Amino acid sequence: MSIGVVLTGMGNDGAIGAKAIKSAGGIVIAQDEATSVIFGMPAEAIKVAKVDQVLAIDDIYAAIEKRVISICKATPVGAK
C-alpha cells in the first residue's frame, strides 16, 4: 500500500503520479486550493478523479498518520 500526496505546483505530473498510485491500489491526498500557492498540480489530479481526499496543508500530516496506522493494523507482522 502506498500513499501519495499532491502539493501546490504547476503542471500535470501530479495527476500522472496519482493515476499510477491509484492503479497500484494506493491512496492519494491533494492539497486544497485555499492553502496552495499554485493550485495547478492538485487541480489536475482532482480533475482526473484520482484523489481520495482534498485537505488543507496543515491537515495532510494527520491524514497520512491516520492512514499509516490503519494500514499497520490491517497488515500482520511479517506480511509482505
Side-chain angles (χ1 to χ4, degrees):
M1 172 70 70
S2 60
I3 301 172
V5 180
V6 182
L7 299 173
T8 186
M10 297 187 324
N12 70 343
D13 51 330
I16 295 166
K19 285 181 186 178
I21 289 169
K22 292 298 291 179
S23 293
I27 297 163
V28 178
I29 300 169
Q31 185 176 355
D32 68 358
E33 185 171 11
T35 62
S36 292
V37 175
I38 301 171
F39 189 56
M41 186 108 42
E44 288 297 315
I46 293 165
K47 192 185 312 181
V48 298
K50 298 295 180 184
V51 172
D52 296 289
Q53 286 184 288
V54 179
L55 300 170
I57 189 71
D58 291 337
D59 298 327
I60 292 174
Y61 170 81
I64 294 169
E65 182 178 45
K66 181 178 177 180
R67 296 284 184 153
V68 168
I69 289 169
S70 75
I71 292 167
C72 291
K73 286 180 180 176
T75 307
V77 174
K80 295 183 180 183

